[in-house]
């Protein structure tokens, strides 16, 4: 049980600040009392502590503390003197916000009570209200210079919003005031206490009996491996075992979690060729990492006999096994009984079943005669948002958005494919299914968590399915981190396979062939690179995807992909509210193709090309800013309006969106690089007002491209669309489709990168040449050869012809070698090996013993 204490167990600051609002009127609702008092916040009283906003009542506590970082000495002192809330608060700040505080040297803390505008009906039939205690943190960073020293017209404060902490509040049994406030009953002291076990079992049963799910992929599916967790020791069961092949409708759970750092991930129990016999013969709970152990405990508690964990069910030192299993994630997670999600910790070495101590505090922290009326401060959590900004921003969702789990690339597909999820978070245990998300705290069913792939089967048309991909998949998946950026497409492969079945369309580098008029016009949050030169140099990074797909836009090489904000050419939107967009193709050819690496045609790609045959206009023929006044007439922002300038002086306006920030230095004129940009007409766009039925005129839109290093290739560097200038704002006309009819028609090839994917040529113990397609960031010595060589030129490698096609090699499918060409190569000659880490070629020599081996 949580530690009981009265007002004297709080310091003076906490006794004053935590006193419950309107405790002097215990038989009235707090909002009824506050609304009639001078405390209400109004236009005439903007500093009042009570307000109603975003569907929540808010009371600003009489609490303020400024403390030093990183040790929080003031809180440490009062905690050591016996104030348990100071101890709780200090521990929460140090646990949740230490990494984010960085160079900050001070923190300000404010407390608020929040409660719902009306009670909701919980699963047990009672009306309950969410009560939250929130700590808002502001941090001081001395490294931020006061801009007033540089420019008297600006002033920048060194104080900024930090994280926000929150704790759910529940009522003690028998307390009349907590019942009056409709506070939920006490939360369980343990994540898998008796109360929570009943909560999970009842929701699993409810979902199995009442929720309907589409069969995502028809046909029988047998997993390659599972962990049998039924006995005193556990063992790896493989598909070849009679036991697994003979079983139908196997009850198993999947685990979704973050590995953590490379060292943490490698130190967990993993399936390798060496450990396979040990795992098959049996192993004990103590051999597993904390997260693996917790997942086993959850399975055994809920009587689920089998468990799937990637580290234990995929051979970690076999590239072909990894590729095969990763391409089946949609079946593995989609067919499981439920998925156990660790939102609480960011490492496989940290348990998610442990729970913070809960504190019991009297409503009246000053009057000891009323100390019997108490409430419980539940397990705390952190959100990165400063506060809720809409009714949909529930505490749970804000917490989920702040977890490391939700930032990882692989967890998106795992969650989207799962029919049921048990989610362990700092604030408690959650159950999610198609019916909704339920928190153990108040047990109210709310809107389901994020996107579920089963929702595409409810779409009325393929247009709606394409829309879901662009508005649900692209924005939610992009921006997520992967240990290897090259995993971006494999981490989306299972979802893509489901969409491909429904759409009956071809998947090309994260986009769909029959939806290119929409999907080519993505916009990222913020400029991708500091300048055009930086953007172009980024295309020389290890290949992930083409410049024309959002999947190829890595913000931080090796970590994540640029986050998609929306879709639309220039400043326009392709999915506006209250309007229908009508698109027409205005180019002769619009074709996209990609070459996959390996057996998974939805996985890694080696190259991708977009071919457009249509009208083009090089801005070097004449362009100007929309304004001819002021010192910034030659300046561009990353978004805005610009003009084509005709020889007769006529100006034709269009809007643009650039994938870079053109003027990182505002004193740098734009004219020196705008001459290199080309407008490529793709289509025309027309808007129809759904209410008035009025249509706009058809206006041109397309891509902005820049010459690549290769003569006949271009990069996508932006998009253009209809002007957003108000009519009559300048003596300019809008750029029209007719204008492009006077322009040259040509074929533009828009590529992905100047560096082809890396290949490795290895010799196995039998002397056969084994090709494998791997990215440079996973390049390592092959266990089957003395040496690996990386190929970084498309087409050939020292006379060796490399063709992307299904290969006969049992270990690494996807690349064929022209063996006759291999035999013609003098393998004693020096062969340049691309050193991707340094960006320069290094040299190595094939050993004499490799020369003597038979080449096939």
């Amino acid at each position: 049980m949580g530690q009981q204490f009265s007002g004297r167990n709080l310091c003076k600051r906490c006794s004053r600040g935590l006193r419950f609002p309107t405790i002097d009127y215990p038989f009235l609702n707090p909002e009824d009392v506050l609304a009639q008092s001078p405390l209400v916040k109004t236009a005439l009283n903007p500093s009042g502590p009570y307000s109603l906003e975003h569907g929540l009542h808010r009371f600003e506590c009489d609490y303020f503390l400024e403390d030093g970082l990183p040790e929080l000495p003031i809180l440490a002192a009062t905690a050591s003197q016996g104030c348990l809330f100071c101890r709780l608060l200090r521990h929460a700040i140090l646990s949740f916000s230490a990494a984010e505080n960085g160079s900050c040297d001070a923190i300000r803390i404010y407390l608020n009570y929040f409660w719902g505008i009306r009670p909701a009906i919980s699963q047990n039939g009672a009306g309950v209200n969410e009560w939250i205690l929130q700590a808002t943190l502001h941090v001081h960073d001395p490294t931020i210079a006061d801009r007033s020293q540089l420019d008297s017209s600006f002033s920048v404060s060194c104080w900024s919003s930090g994280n926000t902490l929150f704790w759910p509040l529940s009522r003690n049994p028998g307390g009349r005031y907590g019942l009056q406030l409709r506070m939920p009953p006490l939360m369980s002291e343990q994540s898998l206490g008796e109360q929570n076990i009943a909560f999970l079992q009842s929701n699993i049963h409810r979902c199995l009996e009442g929720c309907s799910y589409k069969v995502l992929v028809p046909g029988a599916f047998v997993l390659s491996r599972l962990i049998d967790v039924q006995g005193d020791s556990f063992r790896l069961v493989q598909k070849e075992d009679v036991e697994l092949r003979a079983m139908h409708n196997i009850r198993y759970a999947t685990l979704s979690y973050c590995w953590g750092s490379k060292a943490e991930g490698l130190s967990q129990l993993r399936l390798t060729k060496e450990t396979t016999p040990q795992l098959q013969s049996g192993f004990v709970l103590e051999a597993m990492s904390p997260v693996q152990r917790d997942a086993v405990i959850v399975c055994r508690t809920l009587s689920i006999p089998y468990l799937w964990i990637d580290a234990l069910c995929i051979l970690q030192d076999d590239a072909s096994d990894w590729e095969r299993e990763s391409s089946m994630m949609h079946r593995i997670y989609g067919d499981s009984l439920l998925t156990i999600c660790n939102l609480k910790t960011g490492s496989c070495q940290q348990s998610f079943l442990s729970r913070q101590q809960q504190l019991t505090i009297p409503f009246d922290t000053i009057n000891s005669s009323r100390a019997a009326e108490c409430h419980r401060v539940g397990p705390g959590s952190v959100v990165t948002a400063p506060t809720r900004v809409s009714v949909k921003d529930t505490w749970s969702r804000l917490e989920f958005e702040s977890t490391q789990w939700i930032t990882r690339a692989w967890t998106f597909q795992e969650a989207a494919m799962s029919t049921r999820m048990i989610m362990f978070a700092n604030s408690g245990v959650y159950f999610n299914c198609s019916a909704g998300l339920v928190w153990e705290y108040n047990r109210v069913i709310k809107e389901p968590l994020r996107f579920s792939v089963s929702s595409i089967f409810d779409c009325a048309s393929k247009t709606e399915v394409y829309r879901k991909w662009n508005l649900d998949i692209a924005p939610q998946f992009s921006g997520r981190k992967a240990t290897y950026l090259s995993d971006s497409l494999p981490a989306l492969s299972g979802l893509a396979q489901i969409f491909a079945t429904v759409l009956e369309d071809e998947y090309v580098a994260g986009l769909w062939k029959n939806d290119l008029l929409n999907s080519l016009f993505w916009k990222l949050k913020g400029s991708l690179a500091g300048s055009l030169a930086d953007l172009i140099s980024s295309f020389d990074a290890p290949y992930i995807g083409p410049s024309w797909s959002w999947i190829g836009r890595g913000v931080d090489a090796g970590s994540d992909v640029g986050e998609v904000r929306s879709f639309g050419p220039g400043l326009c939107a392709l999915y506006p509210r209250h309007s229908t967009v009508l698109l027409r193709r205005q180019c002769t050819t619009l074709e996209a193709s990609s070459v996959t690496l390996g057996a998974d045609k939805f996985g890694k790609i080696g190259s991708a090309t977009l071919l457009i045959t249509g009208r083009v206009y090089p801005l070097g023929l004449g362009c100007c800013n929309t304004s001819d006044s002021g010192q910034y007439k030659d300046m561009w922002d990353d978004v805005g309006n610009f003009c084509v300038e005709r020889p007769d002086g006529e100006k034709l306006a269009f809007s643009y969106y650039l994938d870079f920030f053109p003027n990182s230095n505002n004193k740098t004129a734009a004219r020196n690089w705008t001459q290199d940009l080309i407008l490529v007409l793709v289509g025309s766009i027309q808007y129809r007002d759904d209410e008035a039925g009025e249509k706009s005129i058809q206006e041109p839109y397309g891509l902005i491209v820049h010459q690549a290093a290769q003569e006949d290739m271009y990069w996508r560097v932006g998009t253009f669309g209809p002007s957003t200038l108000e009519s009559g704002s300048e003596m300019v006309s809008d750029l029209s489709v007719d204008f492009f009819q006077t322009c040259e028609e040509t074929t533009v090839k828009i590529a992905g990168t100047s560096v082809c994917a890396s290949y490795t040529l290895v010799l196995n113990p039998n002397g056969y040449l084994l090709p494998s397609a791997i990215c440079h960031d996973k390049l390592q010595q092959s266990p089957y050869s003395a040496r690996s060589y990386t190929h970084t030129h498309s087409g050939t490698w020292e006379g060796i012809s490399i063709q992307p096609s299904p290969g006969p090699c049992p270990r690494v499918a996807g690349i064929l070698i022209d063996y006759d060409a291999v035999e013609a190569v003098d393998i004693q000659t020096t062969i340049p090996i691309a050193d991707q880490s340094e960006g320069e070629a290094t040299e190595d020599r094939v050993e004499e013993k490799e020369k003597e081996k038979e080449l096939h």
Side-chain angles (χ1 to χ4, degrees):
M1 296 293 293
Q3 183 171 354
Q4 302 285 335
F5 64 98
S6 61
R8 66 177 180 272
N9 295 98
L10 298 175
C11 64
K12 291 182 179 179
R13 180 178 55 253
C14 291
S15 295
R16 182 183 67 250
L18 292 174
R19 192 170 191 265
F20 222 72
T22 68
I23 184 63
D24 293 325
Y25 305 93
F27 300 105
L28 298 174
N29 292 327
E31 59 268 24
D32 296 335
V33 177
L34 293 169
Q36 304 299 322
S37 75
L39 301 177
V40 67
K41 183 179 292 187
T42 64
L44 298 177
N45 182 28
S47 60
Y50 168 72
S51 61
L52 176 61
E53 54 188 39
H54 308 308
L56 291 173
H57 299 286
R58 175 180 181 177
F59 181 81
E60 300 174 16
C61 301
D62 185 12
Y63 184 101
F64 172 78
L65 172 64
E66 182 173 327
D67 207 347
L69 291 173
E71 297 300 324
L72 301 167
I74 298 177
L75 283 177
T78 49
S80 65
Q81 295 168 9
C83 180
L84 296 182
F85 184 77
C86 284
R87 184 186 304 172
L88 173 75
L89 181 59
R90 183 173 184 268
H91 179 267
I93 295 174
L94 294 178
S95 299
F96 295 138
S97 300
E100 287 74 18
N101 292 335
S103 59
C104 300
D105 62 355
I107 189 169
R108 290 174 177 172
I109 306 167
Y110 308 83
L111 296 182
N112 298 272
Y113 283 114
F114 287 89
W115 63 99
I117 193 171
R118 62 178 60 88
I121 303 300
S122 69
Q123 289 185 313
N124 58 20
V128 295
N129 213 340
E130 260 184 19
W131 282 85
I132 300 293
L133 175 61
Q134 175 185 286
T136 303
L137 311 179
H138 291 177
V139 291
H140 181 268
D141 188 348
T143 64
I144 299 177
D146 189 348
R147 285 188 61 185
S148 61
Q149 299 176 3
L150 306 175
D151 189 335
S152 58
S153 62
F154 294 98
S155 179
V156 178
S157 174
C158 291
W159 288 93
S160 60
S161 297
N163 289 334
T164 299
L165 308 174
F166 76 91
W167 297 266
L169 305 179
S170 52
R171 57 180 169 85
N172 267 11
R176 291 193 300 173
Y177 190 52
L179 196 61
Q180 166 75 17
L181 298 177
R182 295 184 181 271
M183 279 186 173
L186 293 182
M187 296 178 68
S188 176
E189 289 291 335
Q190 299 175 342
S191 295
L192 286 182
E194 183 178 337
Q195 181 177 323
N196 275 356
I197 294 173
F199 162 70
L200 293 174
Q201 288 175 333
S202 64
N203 276 286
I204 293 171
H205 177 76
R206 170 189 58 78
C207 179
L208 289 172
E209 295 296 321
C211 295
S212 60
Y213 293 93
K214 301 281 186 180
V215 177
L216 301 180
V217 183
F221 172 67
V222 179
L223 292 95
S224 299
R225 305 173 186 92
L226 280 172
I227 303 298
D228 185 344
V229 298
Q230 299 173 87
D232 294 334
S233 64
F234 318 125
R235 62 190 181 90
L236 176 70
V237 181
Q238 302 202 78
K239 182 165 57 177
E240 293 76 14
D241 297 338
V242 176
E243 172 188 351
L244 198 58
R245 286 189 287 115
M247 296 178 66
H248 299 284
N249 300 320
I250 299 175
R251 283 169 56 92
Y252 71 94
T254 43
L255 176 63
S256 179
Y257 68 115
C258 300
W259 280 32
S261 67
K262 183 177 180 180
E264 290 171 327
L266 293 177
S267 62
Q268 68 180 324
L269 185 62
R270 297 181 302 129
L271 176 66
T272 63
K273 296 182 180 69
E274 182 181 355
T275 62
T276 297
Q278 170 199 346
L279 296 180
Q280 287 179 310
S281 62
F283 57 96
V284 295
L285 190 68
E286 289 70 25
M288 308 179 83
S289 71
V291 165
Q292 293 172 343
R293 288 199 296 265
D294 287 353
V296 169
I297 292 171
V298 172
C299 286
R300 291 169 68 94
T301 300
L302 298 176
S303 301
I304 301 174
Y306 293 94
L307 173 63
W308 189 93
I309 303 176
D310 57 357
L312 295 174
C313 296
I314 301 177
L315 276 169
Q316 300 300 308
D317 54 355
D318 189 318
S320 60
D321 190 77
W322 181 92
E323 181 185 25
R324 181 180 60 253
E325 295 300 309
S326 65
S327 69
M328 299 302 296
M329 289 297 179
H330 59 303
R331 297 300 305 263
I332 294 171
Y333 281 85
D335 289 5
S336 70
L337 175 67
L338 56 84
T339 297
I340 302 165
C341 303
N342 174 21
L343 279 68
K344 190 172 183 179
T345 67
S347 167
C348 61
Q349 301 299 333
Q350 298 173 333
S351 168
F352 60 78
L353 289 182
S354 60
R355 177 161 286 193
Q356 305 164 33
Q357 184 184 31
Q358 301 178 55
L359 302 181
T360 302
I361 300 179
F363 286 105
D364 192 336
T365 54
I366 296 177
N367 188 345
S368 59
S369 65
R370 290 196 287 211
E373 284 280 0
C374 298
H375 65 278
R376 180 77 63 85
V377 178
S381 189
V382 61
V383 297
T384 53
T387 187
R388 286 174 45 155
V389 296
S390 71
V391 176
K392 290 186 176 181
D393 287 337
T394 63
W395 302 106
S396 306
R397 293 178 189 278
L398 289 175
E399 178 188 9
F400 296 164
E401 294 295 330
S402 304
T403 63
Q404 198 167 336
W405 178 84
I406 212 131
T407 68
R408 306 302 297 177
W410 286 99
T411 60
F412 174 76
Q413 181 174 247
E414 293 164 2
M417 300 303 304
S418 299
T419 53
R420 301 164 203 89
M421 293 188 289
I422 298 176
M423 313 173 78
F424 292 87
N426 281 302
S427 60
V429 179
Y430 296 81
F431 182 88
N432 185 80
C433 67
S434 62
L437 177 71
V438 191
W439 185 9
E440 65 160 295
Y441 165 58
N442 56 10
R443 310 208 175 180
V444 173
I445 299 181
K446 297 188 177 181
E447 185 179 343
L449 177 69
R450 303 177 70 83
F451 172 79
S452 173
V453 71
S454 61
S455 64
I456 68 175
F457 294 97
D458 298 326
C459 294
S461 65
K462 289 184 180 179
T463 300
E464 287 188 28
V465 180
Y466 286 124
R467 183 187 180 102
K468 273 191 173 292
W469 182 271
N470 292 336
L471 296 187
D472 290 332
I473 302 297
Q476 293 186 35
F477 177 78
S478 60
R480 288 178 173 239
K481 296 178 173 60
T483 303
Y484 301 106
L485 193 56
S486 57
D487 284 353
S488 298
L489 282 168
L492 204 54
S493 171
L495 278 173
Q497 292 179 54
I498 301 296
F499 272 79
T501 302
V502 175
L503 291 170
E504 298 177 306
D505 196 0
E506 186 175 342
Y507 185 63
V508 280
L511 311 182
W512 299 96
K513 269 195 171 183
N514 294 333
D515 189 49
L516 294 177
L517 287 179
N518 286 297
S519 58
L520 285 172
F521 297 91
W522 40 267
K523 301 174 182 177
L524 301 182
K525 289 187 177 180
S527 301
L528 187 62
S531 67
L532 177 61
D534 291 336
L535 176 62
I536 292 175
S537 66
S538 72
F539 296 140
D540 289 332
Y543 188 73
I544 305 303
S547 66
W548 41 268
S549 172
W550 53 267
I551 203 75
R553 295 305 181 94
V555 174
D556 181 11
S559 62
D560 55 14
V561 175
E563 186 173 354
V564 173
R565 173 169 56 91
S566 61
F567 283 79
L571 290 174
C572 300
L574 284 175
Y575 303 104
R577 295 182 180 179
H578 313 303
S579 296
T580 300
V581 174
L582 306 175
L583 303 178
R584 293 185 181 180
R585 198 175 82 178
Q586 296 292 343
C587 55
T588 305
T589 302
L590 181 61
E591 296 179 355
S593 62
S594 61
V595 176
T596 56
L597 300 176
D600 184 7
K601 66 178 182 179
F602 297 90
K604 296 177 183 178
I605 60 176
S607 64
T609 303
L610 177 67
L611 283 177
I612 303 176
T613 301
R615 307 285 178 173
V616 301
Y617 178 80
L619 289 181
L621 296 178
C623 62
C624 66
N625 203 301
T626 55
S627 174
D628 289 329
S629 61
Q631 59 176 321
Y632 300 112
K633 64 180 181 179
D634 290 330
M635 308 300 285
W636 284 42
D637 202 346
D638 53 345
V639 294
N641 290 278
F642 209 63
C643 286
V644 167
E645 189 171 25
R646 304 294 298 272
D648 60 2
E650 182 185 11
K651 297 178 181 179
L652 304 176
F654 62 90
S655 67
Y656 66 86
Y657 169 90
L658 299 178
D659 300 338
F660 59 94
F661 192 77
N663 297 303
S664 55
N665 182 344
N666 284 338
K667 295 181 180 179
T668 302
R671 290 290 178 105
N672 59 342
W673 56 263
T674 54
Q675 311 299 311
D676 299 327
L677 302 186
I678 301 173
L679 305 184
V680 181
L681 178 65
V682 173
S684 61
I685 186 170
Q686 185 178 31
Y687 291 93
R688 182 183 65 199
D689 190 309
D690 292 337
E691 296 179 356
E694 299 177 352
K695 291 184 179 180
S696 65
I697 63 171
Q698 291 186 39
E699 298 181 85
Y701 76 97
L703 301 177
I704 302 176
V705 301
H706 187 281
Q707 177 72 53
Q710 191 172 336
E711 185 176 353
D712 61 340
M713 302 289 280
Y714 294 84
W715 309 125
R716 172 203 141 136
V717 296
T719 66
F720 74 91
S723 166
T724 58
L725 294 175
E726 294 183 9
S727 178
S729 61
E730 283 195 62
M731 299 301 294
V732 297
S733 303
D734 289 335
L735 189 65
S736 66
V737 176
D738 290 339
F739 163 79
F740 280 95
Q741 300 308 311
T742 66
C743 299
E744 176 189 5
E745 184 177 44
T746 187
T747 297
V748 177
K749 180 187 286 188
I750 306 176
T753 182
S754 60
V755 179
C756 186
S758 301
Y759 299 94
T760 298
L761 305 181
V762 300
L763 290 170
N764 73 0
N766 296 323
Y768 288 89
L769 191 66
L770 300 182
S772 65
I774 62 174
C775 254
H776 87 285
D777 51 5
K778 287 188 175 180
L779 182 61
Q780 56 185 348
Q781 287 296 104
S782 167
Y784 300 103
S785 69
R787 187 157 308 189
S788 299
Y789 299 99
T790 304
H791 161 74
T792 58
H793 303 282
S794 58
T796 61
W797 173 73
E798 293 294 316
I800 301 177
S801 173
I802 297 184
Q803 308 170 44
S805 59
C809 173
R811 292 197 177 277
V812 276
I815 304 297
L816 277 179
I817 300 296
D818 183 343
Y819 296 119
D820 292 334
V822 174
E823 292 177 3
V825 176
D826 179 6
I827 59 175
Q828 283 188 325
T829 60
T830 300
I831 300 175
I833 309 298
D835 184 349
Q836 302 282 8
S837 63
E838 298 295 330
E840 299 177 353
T842 61
E843 295 186 349
D844 209 335
R845 187 177 299 273
V846 179
E847 296 182 2
E848 188 68 26
K849 63 180 180 180
E850 294 180 337
K851 177 182 177 181
E852 297 174 355
K853 291 189 176 181
E854 180 182 4
L855 298 179
H856 293 267

